[in-house]
Amino acid sequence: MSASIVSLPMYDLPSLRWATEAWWAGIARALQAEGLAEVPDTLTVATSHDAPWRDPNLLLTQTCGYPLTHGFAAHLQPVAAIRWAIPECRGIEYHSVIVVRADDPVRSLADLRSRACAFNSLDSQSGMSALRHAVAPLARGPRFFGRVIQSFGHRASMAMVASGEADVCAVDVATFELVRRTTPEAVASLRVLARTAPAPGLPYATRIEADADLVRRLRVGLATAVTDPSLAEARGALLIAGVEPVERADYERIDAMEREAARLGYPDLA
């Protein structure tokens, strides 16, 4: 049997690599204590963040809710989601902050009509779909922005806004807060204009073929790790307050946000 694949790519900022690795090491210990065989002590090195998501040897990963409900729906099943140590987040919900330059005079989303928008990825809930949903009532048709630019990453989107290459982007609130705490210079010239509607946060997930017993053990392992005193520093750095089990049905809200934007005549971020 091939080695198990494990990855935690979604909040793996370079400045927090130590915390991500420590967090996984603690999860691995807890899973091993649950009797799971061949749990790697270290994270898998992958060619891209989504490379493990189709791997038949996937044990545990973290994905965005949009790939879970769309492009990887036939490959992944959710296990649990984080409760964030962020005052604006409730339970496992998160949202996006809509960010502009601090010196930009815009006061509302409506003021951004015909401006340039950066987004990280077409399959991102926080960077694309949540923003599409927020803009849809204002668009009054299929186009709202003057230009839409794919940046391929939340930090790249923020850098484009800071430099003036774009005027606005939407960023996962946890990413924004982690960047603000670890590299404050990256957000010093930005301000939060608005917040999107909430949705369930990025789930820990496993392969779709995993049986109920494996999913149960993964949930127990995560619950154990989140109460492990030796992981308190890593959890604090990653803003993890807890974890809760989730099912695919919990992510129906993401589908509903997409349908609502389409109903309003704004099916694409444009």
Side-chain angles (χ1 to χ4, degrees):
M1 178 180 175
S2 300
S4 295
I5 301 297
V6 292
S7 67
L8 298 177
M10 305 312 290
Y11 297 103
D12 189 21
L13 304 180
S15 56
L16 290 171
R17 184 66 46 78
W18 68 270
T20 301
E21 291 175 350
W23 175 231
W24 169 251
I27 295 170
R29 289 194 302 271
L31 294 178
Q32 290 160 359
E34 274 300 300
L36 288 180
E38 300 187 27
V39 178
D41 295 323
T42 58
L43 292 164
T44 303
V45 177
T47 55
S48 66
H49 72 274
D50 59 358
W53 297 351
R54 286 191 176 92
D55 196 302
N57 298 304
L58 177 66
L59 177 64
L60 190 67
T61 188
Q62 191 175 30
T63 181
C64 175
Y66 200 89
L68 178 77
T69 57
H70 289 71
F72 289 84
H75 300 276
L76 296 173
Q77 60 172 308
V79 173
I82 292 171
R83 283 190 286 107
W84 292 106
I86 300 173
E88 296 84 2
C89 294
R90 297 289 179 269
I92 62 166
E93 291 187 341
Y94 84 138
H95 58 273
S96 299
V97 290
I98 300 175
V99 174
V100 298
R101 285 183 300 283
D103 60 359
D104 193 317
V106 296
R107 290 290 173 264
S108 70
L109 283 179
D111 296 335
L112 292 167
R113 183 179 295 277
S114 300
R115 304 287 288 274
C117 170
F119 72 100
N120 59 329
S121 172
L122 285 170
D123 66 351
S124 172
Q125 168 63 19
S126 55
M128 185 283 293
S129 187
L131 180 59
R132 175 179 59 186
H133 177 261
V135 168
L138 306 171
R140 299 191 299 276
R143 178 160 290 277
F144 178 79
F145 296 109
R147 189 162 58 110
V148 175
I149 315 155
Q150 187 168 359
S151 70
F152 300 99
H154 279 312
R155 285 172 291 165
S157 293
M158 289 188 284
M160 291 177 73
V161 174
S163 70
E165 188 176 353
D167 298 306
V168 62
C169 67
V171 179
D172 170 351
V173 65
T175 296
F176 186 83
E177 186 62 18
L178 289 168
V179 170
R180 186 188 69 79
R181 292 185 181 209
T182 59
T183 51
E185 65 276 10
V187 300
S189 63
L190 304 176
R191 67 179 172 92
V192 174
L193 176 69
R195 297 175 186 268
T196 68
L202 283 66
Y204 293 111
T206 189
R207 60 187 182 276
I208 195 72
E209 299 87 0
D211 61 25
D213 182 63
L214 175 57
V215 172
R216 180 191 64 79
R217 292 179 188 231
L218 291 171
R219 287 172 174 161
V220 171
L222 286 164
T224 299
V226 88
T227 59
D228 184 341
S230 73
L231 299 176
E233 184 180 9
R235 289 195 305 269
L238 295 169
L239 301 177
I240 297 172
V243 294
E244 295 182 15
V246 289
E247 305 286 350
R248 170 59 179 85
D250 294 316
Y251 289 84
E252 166 60 23
R253 196 177 314 170
I254 288 175
D255 298 320
M257 291 170 73
E258 182 172 57
R259 290 193 299 268
E260 177 66 6
R263 185 187 69 79
L264 292 171
Y266 191 67
D268 302 304
L269 185 67

